[in-house]
Amino acid sequence: MKIGVFDSGIGGLTVLAALRERLPHAEYVYLGDTANLPYGTKSPAQVTRLSVACAERLKPYGLDALVVACNTASSVALEAIREAMGTVPVFGVVEPGVQAVVEALEAWPASEYVPILVLATRATIKSASYGKSLRSFLEPATRPVFEQACPILVPMIEEGWINHQVLHDTISEYVGPVRAVYLTGVVLLGCTHYPWIEAAIQAQLPGWKVVNSAFALGRLVSAQLNADKARGTAPGSVEWIFTDPDALPAFACQFINGQRRSAHVE
Ligand code: DGL
């Protein structure tokens, strides 16, 4: 079984790790469009054009599924990507993200007031993909949804500033207004880059439950694909494509080398 995974850069690596946990024997092709990053500050038309180009690039690999490991592309370009992929199943990250929030909320009684804060790129927030979907599931009187665009987090993460004072101050600016009013709640990492800075986000929202959609996505993909086809004795390989390989920060290179060591063929 071969699964394609793409993102604008290194955000999708957090999704790839969750997929490999669920489907370790599948083979993967990872595409990071680092030459065109960031997607989150671009228009829907630009994101759609770039996302379809990623899908077209991965299509000749004979994929059994394509995972759009980017909230921005999943929010604005999923239909166009599906069209480009024909009969190949395409999974986005927004639906599992909503599911993960709904599951996290089960920890509170339904009558208790629990705010939900969605942190994402500007394009994702503007698309209202999370806002609309979450509000359709949740009772607004006790589960208000706040959406915060964080356009400068992705460039910092791609720069390797995952524990930099400027990053901590920036997160504080973004979450400050909601934190000033609520001591607890659920914060959704609505961009696949943000799990890289989960500790920094948690530090700014100490009483909040942080939700990463990657695990719900891994569960969804393995349930919907025929997992038997991915059975084997050794971990499957990962093929890496970066449209600008020189742009990778050191921590991402370390992660990729770790994934290489746990794969059986290169
Ligand atoms: N990692 C992507 C997301 O989940 C895109 C980040 C970007 O390129 O702005 O939205």
Side-chain angles (χ1 to χ4, degrees):
M1 174 182 289
K2 192 167 259 187
I3 301 175
V5 180
F6 85 84
D7 176 45
S8 60
I10 57 170
L13 296 177
T14 63
V15 175
L16 177 72
L19 286 167
R20 291 193 82 203
E21 243 170 62
R22 284 274 170 179
L23 293 162
H25 307 298
E27 302 204 332
Y28 295 88
V29 189
Y30 183 89
L31 169 59
D33 192 11
T34 37
N36 293 301
L37 179 117
Y39 280 14
T41 52
K42 294 184 169 65
S43 70
Q46 286 172 312
V47 174
T48 302
R49 182 177 55 76
L50 293 168
S51 304
V52 168
C54 288
E56 301 282 9
R57 180 144 183 195
L58 289 170
K59 205 173 168 181
Y61 284 84
L63 303 177
D64 295 287
L66 175 66
V67 173
V68 182
C70 171
N71 289 269
T72 308
S74 299
S75 296
V76 306
L78 203 57
E79 279 320 303
I81 297 166
R82 287 203 164 118
E83 211 169 289
M85 293 303 289
T87 55
V88 177
V90 175
F91 297 89
V93 278
V94 171
E95 193 191 319
V98 170
Q99 181 61 32
V101 169
V102 170
E103 282 169 20
L105 285 165
E106 285 166 6
W108 284 270
S111 56
E112 201 171 317
Y113 189 87
V114 186
I116 294 111
L117 174 60
V118 179
L119 302 178
T121 66
R122 185 170 282 146
T124 298
I125 298 295
K126 263 193 179 165
S127 77
S129 57
Y130 278 113
K132 236 193 267 164
S133 183
L134 283 167
R135 288 189 187 99
S136 74
F137 279 105
L138 303 172
E139 169 53 54
T142 51
R143 303 286 191 258
V145 178
F146 300 93
E147 294 160 276
Q148 176 63 53
C150 309
I152 53 180
L153 291 184
V154 167
M156 280 193 233
I157 296 163
E158 290 279 343
E159 191 59 33
W161 289 13
I162 53 174
N163 193 20
H164 195 290
Q165 192 52 45
V166 174
L167 175 90
H168 296 294
D169 293 345
T170 306
I171 297 171
S172 181
E173 280 291 315
Y174 284 141
V175 306
V178 168
R179 181 184 52 196
V181 184
Y182 303 107
L183 284 177
T184 185
V186 171
V187 55
L188 172 68
L189 306 181
C191 169
T192 54
H193 278 71
Y194 300 169
W196 289 116
I197 54 164
E198 182 170 342
I201 291 172
Q202 182 76 77
Q204 295 298 329
L205 291 167
W208 287 58
K209 164 96 185 131
V210 181
V211 170
N212 172 359
S213 61
F215 309 109
L217 174 95
R219 201 174 57 203
L220 177 77
V221 174
S222 66
Q224 291 205 8
L225 295 180
N226 181 355
D228 281 351
K229 270 172 68 190
R231 290 236 165 92
T233 49
S237 63
V238 184
E239 188 167 337
W240 307 94
I241 308 165
F242 289 97
T243 52
D244 179 1
D246 296 337
L248 297 181
F251 74 85
C253 294
Q254 261 169 26
F255 173 90
I256 291 167
N257 286 334
Q259 294 281 311
R260 281 203 171 109
R261 278 193 293 276
S262 65
H264 100 116
V265 195
E266 278 309 305

